[in-house]
Amino acid sequence: EMGLAPLPSYEAPLESLADTPELAAEYPLQLISSRRNTHFHSFHNSHKPIETLRSLEPEPVLHMHPVDADKRNIKDGGYAIMFNQRGKSRVRVEVTTEVPKKHVSLNDCWPQLNEVTPAYAPCPPEITAKLGIGGQPSYQNVLVEIKGDKK
């Protein structure tokens, strides 16, 4: 009755290593986002007003595989510039095998994530209005490049 397909179907992302190889040649890392360890649905302001939560995650941290970090001469705990055709942002890097090669992960609710993501929301507004839920940004559909920042 809402005009939706009865079952979900695959939709290729707007940007990905496999589906947009020409863009991946320039921006070879798939940016994914995840929940912060201290994230609560009632707080969408990077937890700045809550000192205890702010002390646990005082700044955004980009998780990067050691192979990708080594290739870019980026050290664990150092800073880097994450960029693409939309913009750039400065983030601290944690080198970890918890993300796969050719992927980087930045927890959501940080303005730095918004600098490189499109305004496009994958769930159309007419559907979110009918369902009574908000649209979500396309954080999982973004390609980026990372370079070390010596500052």
Side-chain angles (χ1 to χ4, degrees):
E1 64 189 53
M2 294 177 72
L4 303 174
L7 295 172
S9 61
Y10 174 77
E11 289 184 35
L14 296 178
E15 299 176 14
S16 74
L17 298 171
D19 294 325
T20 54
E22 67 290 341
L23 192 58
E26 192 169 352
Y27 307 108
L29 298 168
Q30 186 79 49
L31 173 65
I32 58 176
S33 64
S34 58
R35 286 277 177 220
R36 296 169 59 177
N37 293 332
T38 58
H39 183 89
F40 297 96
H41 285 288
S42 58
F43 304 120
H44 294 284
N45 55 7
S46 300
H47 308 147
K48 291 176 185 173
I50 304 170
E51 189 175 330
T52 305
L53 295 178
R54 188 176 65 241
S55 69
L56 294 173
E57 290 185 87
E59 64 183 334
V61 177
L62 182 80
H63 298 96
M64 185 176 214
H65 194 278
V67 169
D68 296 317
D70 288 345
K71 194 182 293 187
R72 292 162 178 81
N73 199 26
I74 295 173
K75 305 296 181 208
D76 185 49
Y79 285 85
I81 303 297
M82 174 178 63
F83 65 96
N84 62 17
Q85 73 277 23
R86 288 178 204 87
K88 64 181 180 178
S89 58
R90 185 172 186 259
V91 291
R92 189 167 57 85
V93 176
E94 180 180 312
V95 177
T96 177
T97 56
E98 291 184 13
V99 293
K101 295 175 192 169
K102 298 185 179 182
H103 290 73
V104 291
S105 177
L106 182 68
N107 290 344
D108 66 2
C109 292
W110 291 107
Q112 289 81 348
L113 189 60
N114 298 335
E115 296 296 326
V116 297
T117 54
Y120 165 79
C123 194
E126 61 274 11
I127 294 174
T128 58
K130 286 181 181 179
L131 295 175
I133 60 172
Q136 294 294 313
S138 54
Y139 290 156
Q140 311 297 342
N141 299 332
V142 179
L143 293 174
V144 297
E145 177 59 293
I146 310 293
K147 66 179 180 182
D149 184 21
K150 304 213 186 291
K151 292 181 186 178

